Amino acid sequence: MSIRIFTTSPHLLLSGYGTISGVDPDYARYREIIGKKAREDLQGFISPEKMNILKGGKVVQLPKYVVQIPRFARRVPGGTPNQPGSGAGSGSGGQGSQGNNGGIGGIGFGPGKPGQGIGKIGKNGMPGGKGQGGPGETGEGDGAGEGAGANQEEIWGPPITRSEIARIFDEDKYVLPNLKDIGNETIIRNDIKWTTLSRTGNKLHPRRTLIGGIKEAAIEKGEDATPEDVVLDPKVQRYHSWENDEEPHANAVIIYLIDVSGSMGDKERGIARTANFYLSTIIQHKFGMLNAHLRGQEFSDDNFGDGVEEIFVVHDDGADEVNEHYFYHTNRGGGTKISTGYALIENILEGLGSKIKNKKYPPKEWNVYVYHYTDGDNWMQDDSTVLGIFERMEPKVNEIGIVQIGRSNHSNDSNYGFLKTVKEKYGEDHHKVRGVSVQNGTPEEFKQILDTMLAERKPKGVKVAT
Amino acid sequence: MHVTGPALPTNTNQIGLGNSCETPAEELQPSFSSTGIQGLPRAIEIELANRCRVKSADSSKEGNINLPRDTFTEEELGGVHKIGRGIYGQDCYPVSPERTPELWKEYEKIWRVATKEKGLDPFPTHFWMMKRDILLETGARSGFPVRVRHWSFGQEFEDLHLQMKHGYMKINEMVINNNPCRAYLLEENALHDQKYVICHVMGHSDFFKNNVMFQHTDRKMIHRMADHAGTIKEIIESEEGEVVTSEDVERFIDKYKSIEWLIDIGTLKPKQLDPKKYQDKRPEKVAPDFGTINLPGFPEHIQRMYNQPEKVNQLRKEEQKHKEDEVYKIPSEPDADVLGFLIEHSTVLKSWQRNALALLRDESYYFAPQLQTKIMNEGWATYWHFELMNHKDIREQGHAFALGKHHGATTALPKFGFQPYTIGLEIFRDIKRRWDKGWYGPKWEDEIKDTVDRGNYDTKEMNGTKKIFDVRKRYRDVQFIREFLTDEVVRNLEMYTWSTKGEPKEGADIYLKSRNVEAIKDMLIREIINGGQPLIRVVNGNFSNRGELLLDHVWTYDLREDWLDETLKNIKALWGRPVGLLTYTTDLENGEQKKMWVRVFDGEKGGIVKNNHVERFIIDENGKILYECDPQGKRK
């Protein structure tokens, strides 16, 4: 059977436009500039902006990087001017213009009497207040540093990929701690990849088929070829096909453990969330690079997170494996028994396995990173149980990172609670069991977390050959 | 067995399955894409191009209404072909009776009602159905499928994409001032939404055709934009002369974007640039024998006596100065067309830069009328979509709620800032009401004083419709607001002006200042005058006789100080010599206003050579320098 196609232009399919959404070249260029790959002279004009979006019926702000083209524009303290010329009805809110009295002023709509107070100037220099779709709802959250506030939610959308974020961090400074020796324990991924073509099969590759048809037509008729001459008979049909993927591959599993007892509030959860974001971003980026390197490829954003899986565990006086959403939003009122969490992790690694992913993560084949968020409270008797688990677990995993989020009544002393017990046993700078204590989730503290968890540390007692 | 597929499969994997119905090839109405892939037999291209041309609508049906619809012209195919990124195909196709029969029927109804019953006079309007991403890509380019390549369109695309994805914004309508008018519909929308958009577009299309501000805009702008893109691309690809890389062009366009609104926005007809001035012009050197008297045969000492070297030297200097003056001509009166001035008089622009800037200036002028009629244009379109959607032929039962929701979203009022759709709509409605009842003229203004009498006054003259059509023809926003914003509109919309107490920093209290209609008019006009852009003019092209460009800012508000420097630097790069700007700065603490002179130049100060050095002075009204100041106008 041969097939004739008249419905669409060969140009279209050849360009891959209709089938695979092509990327707007201007957009690609813009991403290059934002990603610091081009135009160094513009880097000074890139500024973080916030953009209002709707989520779950409320207005939240999306962090977004924009390149500002300088123009003559009206002065609004900290604000941005209108960008005219767009034909789309994206109606930006008007900004106040300069009044004679030295203050700013403008037009508004709504009830009220002259002289009545109707709002305040927001952080961005623009008037705040609950307007209908206006420039109101000025945010309190300040970048990623402050984590999730009560009404403010950080959403990282497509404006900047996580790979790009990872690249912003000093790449050389952070390492993958205690990475297992790839030379000896290279894991061959036994998988199939749909990457090749064949002449038979059940999944037609339309583009290659059409190319073949057009080639045939061009060979037969030369310059006089018409679309009717494009005959897609079996001779030119191409199908998707697979091959076994047996490439060297490094795997990692990141296990997040959080204490969800009554003493951990929204603020602590917010800190955990932001810290997780940064930690997993860097680890996934590094593994993406590592795997690309192992296969001899150039790293691209597609490699991000290659070979990395994430597992979420919550505990109070019992532990459960949960999904990501539940991890950040659940609240329980029970007591605290840290050992339950680590026991479950042991079980996931080598025992019954993960019930969500439905597989095991034997530490022989997987790099294992455990990050634990706690407020330091634990049953006194439970500490020794935990240390017992640590003894079994420590040689097998890559890292056990403990982030102790302090409450204000503990003042600045970082040595208290669970972390103190751990440090008494393992010391301040053990290469696998690491701990850090934070208070409020300031940007410096997140840096401190990263510095602790992803720094290079040599095992004690092993001399480093120079 | 040969199988032809008449309809485009939505999923390309189905191509192999084909379609069993036998349709002659001639009746196919495929969409077409030309993406500039080289190396295909030309015959295939032409054949496809011919096939894609949609037959004109059958004019015998529906009472001789010949509905406008899109066909591909050779020029258009050529224009798209040049760029290498056609956006036509299965993701984008014209609305036609074959492809979208249901919508086409509705469009016919709307067109008939709008033109025959309501008296609108729109351009023939072509609607295109688009998938979301294509619509956003086009929207980022202000509706033009092909424009000069620049990353800022990518940035705009991302904005639209994010806002749309997260539901904060929905593109209501996108329509281009072009003949035939071009408008886009989002494919995923429901039929009712599409009708709503079509009604809205009827208003815009009518406004573009009839409003006085648009009379000199290029109505073939879709082709012009594509041509501009092609010309710029040719500059890069040209192998003759100097090598121009795409990054050179990009940097140059950055500079243009920085000053894209420094044109004479308010003008009805843009000034034609003098092509003779396009060449690089430098003052001619005075000939070496200028001023000397040639006395052949006389001995040298006699020659010296008659020629007097000092006098000759002086003459030569004067002549040189005269020639320079002629080249660096000061504009006879302040010229708001800064871009045009740069094109004509700049000494550093290369010829490709001059050509490119002239094209881009045309694009600025094309958009300028839209800046100036935003309130009227949107108000007019909103007025008509409401009228049309409530017409008995177009209205559908059970869609009142959807219409209300749409209309509410379009006309929602912000607490701070103004909203062109609603203000325009309310004023047009107010005009109609007043001219229907005779609420205008000297009698209404002066003779009838009593409130009850005023309320009951009605001449039943019903001139409202005529009047609004007249207003849409002859006004622009500033005059429209000044003349027709009445107490009643202000009351209906609950408009007010607001201000801050003291310095407007974070946390400062905002209070409701006034509900007086004059105060509101003043504030509103201050925001929209000159299309909302600061008015910058060239005062002197050869300031202090050193080729310095002096600009002045007609103050309506202070300029943003951190962007001021950078913008001036961009102008300096285009001008080649120092650039200065006269503006005013307001002290935020006490409201005192001072005149400021900002200057950018390359020079030496204190033994250090500085490029793009910025100086600021506070000066008095006569131009005398009082002291040097910082960006906020404080004494250094």
Side-chain angles (χ1 to χ4, degrees):
Chain A
M1 189 182 85
S2 59
I3 306 157
R4 284 189 167 200
I5 297 180
F6 300 102
T7 47
T8 189
S9 146
H11 293 212
L12 180 75
L13 285 182
L14 285 180
S15 70
Y17 192 81
T19 48
I20 312 146
S21 179
V23 179
D24 184 339
D26 289 337
Y27 183 56
R29 179 68 179 162
Y30 164 67
R31 295 315 301 267
E32 265 180 38
I33 292 169
I34 288 283
K36 298 184 194 289
K37 287 181 202 154
R39 294 297 304 279
E40 275 173 25
D41 58 320
L42 277 182
Q43 301 303 324
F45 294 98
I46 297 179
S47 64
E49 291 269 314
K50 294 209 166 175
M51 185 165 151
N52 288 346
I53 60 163
L54 279 180
K55 194 171 186 246
K58 62 184 177 185
V59 179
V60 295
Q61 290 186 320
L62 190 73
K64 179 180 178 342
Y65 289 86
V66 294
V67 185
Q68 297 280 17
I69 297 176
R71 298 162 191 270
F72 291 129
R74 72 182 51 156
R75 179 162 75 184
V76 179
T80 50
N82 282 317
Q83 300 269 336
S86 168
S90 61
S92 60
Q95 275 85 37
S97 65
Q98 198 77 21
N100 278 327
N101 63 349
I104 60 170
I107 298 283
F109 300 87
K113 286 182 185 147
Q116 189 181 333
I118 47 174
K120 282 186 187 310
I121 297 281
K123 214 171 199 171
N124 55 2
M126 309 247 287
K130 291 214 165 62
Q132 267 181 305
E137 309 280 349
T138 38
E140 298 296 322
D142 192 9
E146 290 193 9
N151 294 317
Q152 214 62 44
E153 217 171 327
E154 292 292 340
I155 302 165
W156 287 91
I160 182 160
T161 65
R162 291 178 73 182
S163 190
E164 281 165 3
I165 293 173
R167 231 172 283 148
I168 291 169
F169 289 99
D170 190 357
E171 280 188 33
D172 299 334
K173 190 170 158 190
Y174 298 123
V175 296
L176 290 170
N178 310 315
L179 188 65
K180 291 180 179 169
D181 190 350
I182 303 156
N184 297 332
E185 293 180 34
T186 301
I187 290 143
I188 306 289
R189 181 167 64 174
N190 219 349
D191 208 351
I192 56 169
K193 283 201 300 186
W194 287 86
T195 48
T196 54
L197 295 175
S198 81
R199 281 165 192 269
T200 54
N202 53 7
K203 204 175 160 195
L204 187 72
H205 195 302
R207 189 167 161 226
R208 295 300 293 267
T209 306
L210 197 56
I211 290 176
I214 292 168
K215 270 186 190 164
E216 284 292 313
I219 290 168
E220 274 178 29
K221 300 278 167 100
E223 277 290 297
D224 306 329
T226 60
E228 278 89 342
D229 297 325
V230 179
V231 181
L232 303 185
D233 56 13
K235 200 169 77 177
V236 298
Q237 285 171 15
R238 294 289 178 277
Y239 292 88
H240 286 283
S241 183
W242 68 88
E243 59 182 9
N244 287 333
D245 178 18
E246 287 189 352
E247 285 168 332
H249 199 76
N251 293 335
V253 57
I254 312 175
I255 301 174
Y256 305 107
L257 174 64
I258 195 169
D259 176 3
V260 287
S261 61
S263 48
M264 292 282 280
D266 276 344
K267 183 190 135 196
E268 286 83 1
R269 215 74 61 74
I271 293 174
R273 178 178 208 166
T274 312
N276 278 350
F277 175 80
Y278 286 128
L279 284 168
S280 74
T281 300
I282 295 178
I283 291 177
Q284 294 195 43
H285 179 67
K286 293 262 174 200
F287 266 93
M289 283 180 38
L290 182 64
N291 279 324
H293 175 73
L294 286 177
R295 271 178 247 137
Q297 295 167 352
E298 193 80 0
F299 174 75
S300 75
D301 282 1
D302 299 339
N303 295 104
F304 180 80
D306 200 352
V308 179
E309 293 189 24
E310 289 175 309
I311 285 181
F312 299 89
V313 178
V314 299
H315 78 86
D316 50 354
D317 51 4
D320 275 316
E321 188 190 350
V322 295
N323 64 21
E324 185 173 357
H325 179 83
Y326 194 76
F327 183 82
Y328 293 119
H329 293 95
T330 184
N331 237 334
R332 298 188 194 174
T336 312
K337 231 171 152 184
I338 293 177
S339 65
T340 57
Y342 284 101
L344 183 65
I345 291 175
E346 262 200 317
N347 200 357
I348 286 172
L349 294 177
E350 288 187 297
L352 292 170
S354 158
K355 67 176 183 209
I356 289 182
K357 306 256 178 175
N358 205 7
K359 70 195 229 193
K360 292 181 198 175
Y361 298 90
K364 268 190 179 172
E365 295 174 20
W366 291 80
N367 290 291
V368 182
Y369 298 91
V370 181
Y371 295 112
H372 177 201
Y373 299 90
T374 172
D375 57 1
D377 286 350
N378 196 14
W379 281 11
M380 270 319 253
Q381 298 87 333
D382 193 49
D383 279 359
S384 57
T385 322
V386 179
L387 293 179
I389 298 176
F390 273 19
E391 252 170 50
R392 290 199 298 276
M393 217 164 148
E394 186 258 332
K396 297 177 190 166
V397 302
N398 296 43
E399 184 179 43
I400 299 174
I402 297 156
V403 180
Q404 185 160 299
I405 302 162
R407 289 170 299 171
S408 54
N409 57 353
H410 283 292
S411 77
N412 285 327
D413 185 12
S414 64
N415 268 337
Y416 65 91
F418 178 64
L419 189 59
K420 188 178 175 190
T421 320
V422 174
K423 283 195 172 173
E424 272 170 8
K425 168 144 190 191
Y426 286 98
E428 276 294 329
D429 47 356
H430 190 267
H431 69 293
K432 280 195 177 170
V433 183
R434 304 177 181 192
V436 64
S437 169
V438 298
Q439 309 275 334
N440 302 314
T442 59
E444 291 75 39
E445 286 179 345
F446 286 116
K447 204 164 163 291
Q448 203 186 334
I449 293 177
L450 293 181
D451 287 349
T452 313
M453 300 302 170
L454 301 176
E456 184 151 27
R457 285 185 190 173
K458 297 283 179 229
K460 280 234 168 108
V462 180
K463 279 194 178 165
V464 184
T466 48
Chain B
M1 188 183 77
H2 283 229
V3 183
T4 54
L8 185 72
T10 45
N11 180 355
T12 46
N13 286 343
Q14 293 170 3
I15 286 180
L17 303 174
N19 198 324
S20 60
C21 65
E22 299 265 0
T23 315
E26 286 71 33
E27 285 180 21
L28 298 175
Q29 301 295 342
S31 45
F32 180 67
S33 156
S34 171
T35 48
I37 300 285
Q38 302 293 321
L40 269 167
R42 179 67 188 154
I44 292 186
E45 274 179 31
I46 292 170
E47 174 62 27
L48 278 163
N50 288 335
R51 192 99 40 85
C52 290
R53 197 161 300 152
V54 183
K55 277 180 251 164
S56 64
D58 189 352
S59 55
S60 61
K61 289 180 209 159
E62 295 284 349
N64 282 337
I65 292 175
N66 195 359
L67 266 181
R69 50 187 299 189
D70 221 341
T71 55
F72 291 96
T73 61
E74 283 295 332
E75 303 93 273
E76 189 157 335
L77 277 174
V80 175
H81 195 78
K82 235 185 260 175
I83 309 311
R85 183 174 177 78
I87 59 157
Y88 307 109
Q90 60 181 3
D91 293 345
C92 169
Y93 49 87
V95 169
S96 65
E98 293 80 15
R99 189 98 191 231
T100 51
E102 222 179 327
L103 183 60
W104 184 259
K105 234 177 261 167
E106 297 295 338
Y107 178 29
E108 278 179 339
K109 265 195 266 176
I110 293 169
W111 179 263
R112 184 163 5 96
V113 172
T115 54
K116 304 270 164 178
E117 286 181 35
K118 299 288 184 185
L120 287 176
D121 176 28
F123 280 130
T125 306
H126 296 167
F127 285 92
W128 282 67
M129 201 65 105
M130 283 182 162
K131 287 234 163 62
R132 176 183 287 227
D133 271 9
I134 311 284
L135 185 78
L136 295 179
E137 278 183 23
T138 317
R141 290 168 177 75
S142 305
F144 291 93
V146 180
R147 279 188 80 172
V148 175
R149 277 199 55 185
H150 193 249
W151 53 263
S152 62
F153 299 128
Q155 180 163 323
E156 186 70 26
F157 168 73
E158 188 176 276
D159 275 9
L160 294 176
H161 179 77
L162 283 173
Q163 289 181 9
M164 198 134 170
K165 183 177 161 200
H166 296 292
Y168 191 69
M169 183 269 308
K170 204 172 163 184
I171 290 188
N172 265 330
E173 90 292 335
M174 201 162 43
V175 47
I176 307 178
N177 165 28
N178 196 61
N179 185 10
C181 209
R182 172 81 72 89
Y184 302 104
L185 302 170
L186 183 58
E187 195 188 34
E188 68 202 52
N189 278 348
L191 180 66
H192 183 266
D193 296 345
Q194 312 286 29
K195 277 169 70 180
Y196 174 91
V197 174
I198 291 176
C199 290
H200 196 87
V201 166
M202 287 292 114
H204 279 307
S205 181
D206 173 74
F207 195 86
F208 287 146
K209 185 172 176 186
N210 294 294
N211 185 266
V212 65
M213 296 307 297
F214 290 87
Q215 61 181 339
H216 289 295
T217 51
D218 193 332
R219 310 291 196 175
K220 294 283 172 208
M221 205 58 190
I222 292 188
H223 301 317
R224 275 285 294 282
M225 288 281 188
D227 283 349
H228 290 181
T231 312
I232 304 269
K233 194 158 177 263
E234 276 162 19
I235 290 173
I236 298 168
E237 285 171 356
S238 163
E239 287 170 2
E240 291 163 21
E242 179 202 13
V243 178
V244 182
T245 65
S246 57
E247 193 162 315
D248 291 340
V249 173
E250 189 180 273
R251 279 167 203 270
F252 183 72
I253 295 177
D254 284 356
K255 294 196 170 60
Y256 155 73
K257 288 265 171 193
S258 175
I259 55 168
E260 64 181 333
W261 299 117
L262 298 194
I263 53 172
D264 195 355
I265 291 179
T267 187
L268 277 174
K269 188 175 186 186
K271 185 176 70 181
Q272 281 291 320
L273 297 182
D274 183 359
K276 278 183 222 154
K277 291 177 185 165
Y278 275 41
Q279 294 118 25
D280 287 12
K281 234 182 173 183
R282 282 168 208 290
E284 271 175 52
K285 278 272 185 304
V286 178
D289 58 348
F290 183 84
T292 50
I293 301 163
N294 197 7
L295 301 168
F298 282 83
E300 201 177 320
H301 68 276
I302 304 285
Q303 294 260 14
R304 250 209 310 277
M305 195 168 79
Y306 278 93
N307 276 328
Q308 294 180 6
E310 282 143 35
K311 201 179 166 191
V312 167
N313 220 3
Q314 199 188 338
L315 273 174
R316 284 169 58 97
K317 267 186 188 162
E318 274 170 18
E319 180 59 20
Q320 184 72 35
K321 186 170 181 304
H322 178 70
K323 286 195 168 175
E324 275 175 15
D325 281 354
E326 228 171 43
V327 172
Y328 303 122
K329 211 178 197 169
I330 301 162
S332 52
E333 53 193 40
D335 186 359
D337 190 359
V338 180
L339 272 175
F341 190 85
L342 288 173
I343 293 168
E344 284 187 341
H345 301 285
S346 165
T347 52
V348 289
L349 288 182
K350 294 165 189 157
S351 67
W352 71 263
Q353 292 177 325
R354 224 177 274 278
N355 291 339
L357 200 56
L359 300 181
L360 295 167
R361 171 177 170 269
D362 287 351
E363 293 186 7
S364 289
Y365 268 116
Y366 169 79
F367 286 116
Q370 292 176 35
L371 289 188
Q372 289 183 81
T373 52
K374 186 122 181 119
I375 294 177
M376 285 181 73
N377 202 342
E378 297 298 356
W380 185 251
T382 312
Y383 180 90
W384 282 109
H385 84 228
F386 204 75
E387 289 283 309
L388 292 174
M389 283 303 275
N390 281 312
H391 189 273
K392 62 179 174 14
D393 290 352
I394 301 169
R395 183 177 54 206
E396 276 171 54
Q397 258 186 345
H399 278 154
F401 177 73
L403 173 64
K405 205 174 147 196
H406 259 302
H407 192 72
T410 317
T411 55
L413 290 170
K415 193 168 176 184
F416 304 107
F418 77 94
Q419 217 273 23
Y421 293 77
T422 318
I423 297 182
L425 170 69
E426 283 301 320
I427 293 179
F428 273 120
R429 282 181 176 170
D430 186 55
I431 295 171
K432 178 150 177 1
R433 195 163 45 232
R434 284 165 62 203
W435 263 261
D436 276 352
K437 292 185 175 182
W439 290 12
Y440 64 94
K443 193 179 175 201
W444 167 258
E445 303 281 336
D446 302 329
E447 288 178 27
I448 310 165
K449 295 285 179 204
D450 186 66
T451 324
V452 179
D453 285 353
R454 280 175 87 89
N456 291 334
Y457 187 79
D458 191 353
T459 60
K460 298 201 165 56
E461 59 188 73
M462 302 308 277
N463 279 334
T465 311
K466 199 177 145 204
K467 181 68 183 172
I468 54 173
F469 273 93
D470 186 50
V471 169
R472 76 99 159 76
K473 197 179 184 69
R474 298 198 294 117
Y475 283 75
R476 65 176 104 174
D477 277 354
V478 175
Q479 283 87 343
F480 182 66
I481 293 291
R482 190 163 277 153
E483 201 163 328
F484 298 115
L485 184 68
T486 57
D487 263 332
E488 196 173 357
V489 177
V490 168
R491 253 199 320 277
N492 283 348
L493 293 177
E494 294 192 301
M495 288 172 85
Y496 55 72
T497 63
W498 55 266
S499 187
T500 55
K501 283 178 178 148
E503 200 177 343
K505 58 191 174 199
E506 189 195 340
D509 284 322
I510 299 172
Y511 68 99
L512 195 158
K513 197 173 169 193
S514 169
R515 286 190 184 276
N516 181 306
V517 63
E518 292 304 321
I520 291 169
K521 267 186 200 176
D522 280 355
M523 189 62 89
L524 196 52
I525 285 171
R526 201 206 298 262
E527 295 205 4
I528 61 177
I529 199 162
N530 199 38
Q533 299 296 320
L535 179 55
I536 309 278
R537 304 180 303 179
V538 179
V539 216
N540 197 334
N542 186 19
F543 182 61
S544 295
N545 196 25
R546 57 183 172 221
E548 180 166 338
L549 183 68
L550 187 68
L551 308 169
D552 83 336
H553 168 216
V554 180
W555 190 91
T556 44
Y557 43 73
D558 282 8
L559 295 178
R560 205 180 142 163
E561 61 271 4
D562 50 342
W563 288 5
L564 186 69
D565 299 359
E566 297 301 328
T567 315
L568 281 178
K569 283 174 193 170
N570 284 340
I571 300 177
K572 181 180 151 285
L574 299 176
W575 178 245
R577 296 284 307 154
V579 174
L581 174 74
L582 299 172
T583 179
Y584 288 87
T585 175
T586 312
D587 197 323
L588 290 179
E589 277 161 18
N590 53 22
E592 191 192 340
Q593 220 180 47
K594 291 172 283 190
K595 197 170 187 183
M596 185 161 71
W597 179 33
V598 191
R599 231 183 127 227
V600 179
F601 62 100
D602 297 338
E604 196 183 314
K605 204 166 191 194
I608 307 160
V609 179
K610 286 175 177 169
N611 283 340
N612 282 336
H613 185 64
V614 182
E615 270 183 354
R616 294 158 193 277
F617 301 101
I618 295 294
I619 57 176
D620 66 8
E621 286 302 321
N622 301 324
K624 192 175 161 240
I625 293 176
L626 299 177
Y627 52 86
E628 197 171 348
C629 68
D630 68 354
Q632 277 73 36
K634 300 214 168 58
R635 188 188 285 268
K636 243 184 184 173

